[in-house]
Amino acid sequence: MTSYGTIPTSSSPGPSTNLEYISRAKERIKTGLGTRRPWKLIFNFHSFGIPASVADAIARVRTNVAFFRMNYAIVALLILFLSLLWHPISLIVFLVMMAVWLFLYFLRDEPLVVFNRTIDDRVVLIVLAVLTVVFLLLTHATANILVALLIAVVVILVHAAARKTDDLYFDEEATGFMTGVGGSTA
């Protein structure tokens, strides 16, 4: 038997497998952050105004939260992170739990299997959320966490209510049509 013209491959897990995992993880992070809207669009001061009524404010909040959800999540996490700067143990727990979330929930390619049983994503989500809250509460930073979350909710609601929704486009076709595909965005 000859192996002329074939390229030898290695089936043992090694550096190429690790590089594959890292590249898939980077791609998933880019995809997840791809739903983030440009910060310039969020802070476009010409798009702010007082809502005409409570119904208008509620409609703006619903639209803006749906449109800017990734940006709002980043803002909330940043506020929580900043509130934990004075509690180093809580900050370490927060960062460790973020890493656990990344590897067990966001960056997984295949279902989680524990003791030869497949664990549903909803179960993983609930368990990770409960563990995150419990571990952060065990660090005795409860007041900081609650105040940070309250501040985040207030900041997000104020922005969402004040930001007009006239210039937001949900589908790519409308965005491409309004910006002129291949043209400049004047």
Side-chain angles (χ1 to χ4, degrees):
M1 231 161 71
T2 64
S3 60
Y4 179 74
T6 61
I7 300 172
T9 60
S10 169
S11 62
S12 64
S16 65
T17 307
N18 291 338
L19 290 176
E20 238 178 71
Y21 180 75
I22 291 171
S23 67
R24 280 195 319 251
K26 283 173 61 176
E27 190 61 36
R28 284 183 160 218
I29 289 171
K30 284 181 184 178
T31 302
L33 289 177
T35 59
R36 179 184 58 85
R37 305 298 179 174
W39 294 103
K40 187 177 182 180
L41 185 62
I42 289 178
F43 296 116
N44 183 1
F45 293 111
H46 299 292
S47 296
F48 285 96
I50 298 172
S53 66
V54 175
D56 185 31
I58 291 171
R60 284 185 185 186
V61 167
R62 285 185 179 162
T63 303
N64 284 326
V65 166
F67 191 77
F68 294 118
R69 69 179 168 266
M70 183 60 76
N71 298 78
Y72 288 156
I74 292 170
V75 167
L77 287 174
L78 180 68
I79 291 171
L80 182 59
F81 176 80
L82 292 174
S83 76
L84 295 176
L85 284 177
W86 291 271
H87 295 277
I89 301 297
S90 299
L91 188 59
I92 291 169
V93 168
F94 179 72
L95 293 175
V96 167
M97 288 309 296
M98 280 184 61
V100 170
W101 273 89
L102 280 174
F103 288 111
L104 290 181
Y105 190 73
F106 293 111
L107 300 180
R108 279 188 299 116
D109 285 339
E110 56 225 19
L112 186 64
V113 177
V114 178
F115 299 120
N116 294 328
R117 300 189 87 184
T118 303
I119 308 298
D120 187 39
D121 278 344
R122 289 177 293 187
V123 173
V124 174
L125 176 75
I126 292 168
V127 168
L128 285 176
V130 169
L131 285 177
T132 302
V133 170
V134 167
F135 287 150
L136 283 174
L137 292 178
L138 287 176
T139 62
H140 303 293
T142 308
N144 278 47
I145 294 167
L146 292 177
V147 168
L149 291 176
L150 181 65
I151 290 171
V153 167
V154 168
V155 166
I156 290 167
L157 286 177
V158 166
H159 179 273
R163 175 76 168 73
K164 296 177 189 172
T165 58
D166 301 341
D167 59 344
L168 303 180
Y169 301 101
F170 282 94
D171 58 345
E172 299 301 320
E173 185 178 346
T175 304
F177 175 74
M178 294 306 289
T179 59
V181 177
S184 65
T185 57

